[in-house]
Amino acid sequence: MTVSLFDQFMSPTLLGIPLIALAITLPWIMFPAPTTRWLNSRFLALQGWFINRFTQQLLLPLSLGGHKWAALLTSLMIFLITMNMLGLLPYTFTPTTQLSLNLGLATPLWLATVIIGMRNQPTHALGHLLPEGTPGPLIPVLIVIETISLFIRPLALGVRLTANLTAGHLLIQLISTAAFVLLSSMPVVALLTSTVLVLLTLLEVAVAMIQAYVFVLLLTLYLQENV
């Protein structure tokens, strides 16, 4: 049972070739390309409104120096939302349930914010390792603790996204299996279970969007500390 539950998180292969690269590039193909018409379609207008609103909210805590990251962070947000949402479809693979992919996204971006802080304002960046007014005997301990908390940030970003999506997929599979098994013996209980499954699916849609937003928001806060 355990193997069958976690089989859905294995990267699919075709002729020995991992298909995770196809799963990563597919979201970009689904977005409509801009047209030369004076008036866009409703879908393009809705997409443009969403991107503009999100970019405005994203740039609120950032100073002018961090506005050059707007295109990268907005693209990352759309990329994560699309992959998370496509993973909720039946018989699909969710690349963001792989810790390796999430760490591959989180670590370079976090490292870039740290390097920017060390280059632009090294004194301020190193000052985060020692809070002001710390008693003398606690200085070595606090430096070690703050250094560990700094280096654990990309791991926390990747594990948070992976754990939330994995837990949601497991719950959906467990409840759907229970509803299918109970359908012949206890139809009423199976109907109630199916209702819970629908509500859980709606919750997972919200989680897919919220986790992508939290991932990018935390990167924005890390960037603000170092800009």
Side-chain angles (χ1 to χ4, degrees):
M1 183 65 179
T2 305
V3 175
S4 63
L5 281 178
F6 287 91
D7 272 350
Q8 60 177 317
F9 303 114
M10 296 176 60
S11 178
T13 58
L14 179 63
L15 300 177
I17 302 174
L19 298 182
I20 187 172
L22 179 61
I24 292 175
T25 55
L26 181 62
W28 299 110
I29 302 175
M30 301 184 62
F31 287 110
T35 63
T36 56
R37 299 177 180 177
W38 287 5
L39 294 178
N40 291 325
S41 64
R42 291 184 177 89
F43 186 66
L44 274 177
L46 181 62
Q47 181 188 12
W49 175 85
F50 170 75
I51 292 176
N52 289 334
R53 291 293 299 172
F54 171 72
T55 306
Q56 290 175 5
Q57 293 296 322
L58 192 66
L59 298 181
L60 282 179
L62 286 177
S63 59
L64 291 177
H67 287 190
K68 62 184 71 174
W69 285 60
L72 174 63
L73 295 176
T74 305
S75 301
L76 179 63
M77 170 74 174
I78 297 173
F79 180 61
L80 290 176
I81 284 182
T82 308
M83 285 197 298
N84 294 347
M85 298 286 286
L86 288 178
L88 294 175
L89 297 175
Y91 303 103
T92 56
F93 171 68
T94 313
T96 45
T97 56
Q98 305 296 311
L99 183 60
S100 57
L101 174 65
N102 295 333
L103 288 179
L105 292 173
T107 303
L109 294 173
W110 163 82
L111 187 60
T113 62
V114 174
I115 292 175
I116 288 175
M118 291 295 183
R119 186 187 64 181
N120 294 342
Q121 40 186 5
T123 304
H124 181 71
L126 294 175
H128 288 296
L129 302 179
L130 184 62
E132 187 177 357
T134 304
L138 295 179
I139 289 178
V141 179
L142 278 180
I143 290 178
V144 173
I145 293 175
E146 292 296 330
T147 303
I148 294 175
S149 67
L150 175 65
F151 282 97
I152 210 172
R153 283 179 174 182
L155 180 63
L157 281 176
V159 170
R160 180 186 295 109
L161 183 58
T162 303
N164 281 282
L165 295 179
T166 303
H169 284 65
L170 286 176
L171 280 176
I172 289 177
Q173 182 170 358
L174 287 172
I175 295 178
S176 59
T177 304
F180 180 76
V181 171
L182 295 173
L183 185 60
S184 58
S185 57
M186 291 181 285
V188 177
V189 178
L191 180 61
L192 293 176
T193 308
S194 301
T195 305
V196 174
L197 179 62
V198 172
L199 296 177
L200 180 61
T201 304
L202 295 177
L203 177 63
E204 283 305 308
V205 171
V207 168
M209 294 186 289
I210 291 173
Q211 288 304 316
Y213 176 72
V214 168
F215 188 93
V216 179
L217 179 63
L218 289 176
L219 282 175
T220 306
L221 296 179
Y222 298 159
L223 179 63
Q224 176 58 27
E225 291 181 359
N226 295 283
V227 172

